Amino acid sequence: MSTPPGAPAAPPRVPEAVHRRRWAILGVLMFTVLIMVLDHSVLNVAVKTIATPAPVGLGATQAELEWAINSYTLVFASLLFTAGLVGDRTGRKKALLCGMVVFGIGSALAAFSGSSAELIAYRAVMGVGAAFVMPATLAVLMNVFERDEQPKAIGIWAGAVGIAIALGPLTGGLLLEHFWWGSIFLVNVPVVIVGFAAMLLLIPDSRDPGPGRIDPVGVLLSIVGLVLLVYGIIRGGELASLTDRGVLLPLLGGLAVLTAFVLYELRIDHPALDFSYFRNPAFSAAITATALAFLSMMGVAFFSVFYLQTVLGHSPLEAGLLVLPLAVAQSAFAPRARLAVGRFGAKATCTAGMLMIATGLASFAFFDTSTPLWAIEIALFIQGAGMGHVMSPVTTTVMQALPREKAGVASAINNTFRQIGGALGVAVLGSILSATYRTGIEPTLNATAAVPAEAKGAAGESLEATLSVVEKLGPPGEVLIGPAYHAFIGAMHLASLGAAAVTLVGAVVVARYLPGRARPAKDGPPPVLQGAGERPEAEAARG
């Protein structure tokens, strides 16, 4: 809307000094996100090396590898909501700086871990730091860009995730080619130092001017509930069972505590989380799409490492190069997704993106030991293009649904569901993979006299475990190699189809509840539709 002639221009909501350096600030935020995502993708490439016995690796079992990934996720997901609240109340710049320091310390400690247990613990420390960094990045972004530029800025921010996905495997592969496995964590330290200095110089502080009373009971319930829920999910993946007592108790306990959290928040007049946000269908659909997309992608990312490196025989560096199409596609399409939203609407754009992700994931059901690399590259490119057309619009929808003052809470909600989805992906799809692999390899293990009876249980845990037994047995154990690959390929097929099915559910959700294309105004250009939460009074205030 244009300002009527003679009427005073509406004052900008963002201070002019901040507005002038907004793109430099975005660059720092992208750099920060790159560190967090790069660390996760680096570890995915290194899991095979860490599973190798000392002195090359730590001799980590598959369960320990899952915990090395998920200890970070457990702490990260459990503290995100609380960290978002703290940032809104005390200042997002402080949250960023403190989080970076903790993340850097955790990285240095993880680099020199002497055992799998130490690595798991220090990864948890890194999760604490990341929990304070991630919500603050989007919250700062929302407070340095005006609403009409926010979709473009969020798209560029989301593109940084794609760049990190590309750099992670490449960085990890290069480091593993020349240094020991701990270098993948030690490299974070100088990057953190540079990022910390840039934040001090460029990023303005911001906070919720009216945060209201503190809700300590709600905060405590959210932490306890999320810890129990995510732990139960991870434990279920480790045991490949959802009925084991060690899985059911934390799962049910977490759901019970989170139910109590919701009921408590609905009854008090100063809730830590206002559940009226979820009455907005577009907001809830965007959150759901985020969780389901990451559930599928993270689960497949976990087992695709073993497919590329163990089954196809590629080095960590080569495996990193092979996932480049996914990263390049996501980083290229995420900043441009707003153009598709403006032309076709969020509903059509995100539905098409989810269908592309499902197509790429389902392609793994047709891969085997002789699949040409070009077919794998095409499937990964399709996945990346789909993610680029999903993550930017749904993130914009979530962030613009809440007032600017609650940007930390909005970012925390978005990241919490994303991390829970990722943990579910590794746990659920990992359990499907493990259970199906064991079913496929057990007949051969039982029929092979060279395998000691006491080793058969452990040998059936994973492809890496079976090949480790083969290496110890020498020539008599080589009879297991072919059946082990066959069993893994069959398990991968089933898990990838499960991931594709989950993504299709997400496509249905966004097709039903996200907003469609905005109707052009009669007296002006078509408005840019970027999701829910646009308030008429806010639009009027902008002139």
Side-chain angles (χ1 to χ4, degrees), residues 165-452:
I165 293 173
L167 289 179
L170 287 176
T171 304
L174 286 170
L175 290 171
L176 292 174
E177 287 278 335
H178 298 94
F179 304 101
W180 94 113
W181 64 266
S183 61
I184 65 171
F185 298 113
L186 192 61
V187 73
N188 291 339
V189 176
V191 179
V192 165
I193 293 172
V194 173
F196 187 92
M199 289 176 188
L200 278 177
L201 292 173
L202 289 173
I203 291 183
D205 204 3
S206 63
R207 66 184 71 193
D208 184 351
R213 293 160 56 194
I214 299 176
D215 175 22
V217 175
V219 170
L220 181 62
L221 287 173
S222 70
I223 293 174
V224 173
L226 287 170
V227 167
L228 290 173
L229 179 65
V230 177
Y231 174 83
I233 292 169
I234 294 171
R235 186 62 174 161
E238 181 182 348
L239 299 178
S241 170
L242 294 178
T243 58
D244 186 273
R245 185 178 180 181
V247 176
L248 276 178
L249 287 179
L251 276 179
L252 295 177
L255 290 173
V257 175
L258 290 175
T259 300
F261 168 68
V262 172
L263 295 175
Y264 179 78
E265 296 296 283
L266 290 173
R267 296 183 62 180
I268 64 172
D269 59 1
H270 56 286
L273 175 59
D274 187 348
F275 278 91
S276 64
Y277 302 145
F278 290 92
R279 295 173 187 166
N280 184 325
F283 176 84
S284 296
I287 290 292
T288 302
T290 299
L292 294 181
F294 270 83
L295 187 157
S296 302
M297 293 288 286
M298 292 302 296
V300 172
F302 179 74
F303 65 71
S304 64
V305 172
F306 294 98
Y307 172 65
L308 293 173
Q309 294 189 35
T310 304
V311 176
L312 299 186
H314 295 289
S315 69
L317 177 58
E318 291 169 340
L321 289 170
L322 286 173
V323 300
L324 269 178
L326 185 150
V328 170
Q330 182 174 338
S331 59
F333 285 106
R336 294 169 174 80
R338 64 188 176 86
L339 303 177
V341 172
R343 183 170 181 179
F344 303 108
K347 181 195 298 287
T349 301
C350 291
T351 301
M354 295 295 280
L355 292 175
M356 292 172 71
I357 295 172
T359 301
L361 295 174
S363 299
F364 275 81
F366 301 93
F367 295 167
D368 55 28
T369 55
S370 60
T371 300
L373 289 181
W374 62 262
I376 299 172
E377 301 298 86
I378 290 175
L380 292 172
F381 184 88
I382 292 172
Q383 288 181 53
M387 285 295 286
H389 282 93
V390 170
M391 297 316 300
S392 179
V394 297
T395 301
T396 302
T397 298
V398 171
M399 296 305 297
Q400 291 193 341
L402 273 63
R404 190 192 294 248
E405 297 78 24
K406 304 295 182 183
V409 173
S411 179
I413 293 172
N414 185 57
N415 279 288
T416 298
F417 277 81
R418 187 178 71 181
Q419 290 302 315
I420 290 176
L424 270 170
V426 174
V428 175
L429 296 179
S431 67
I432 292 173
L433 187 77
S434 297
T436 308
Y437 178 79
R438 182 178 290 277
T439 300
I441 195 63
E442 272 187 344
T444 304
L445 286 172
N446 292 332
T448 305
V451 181

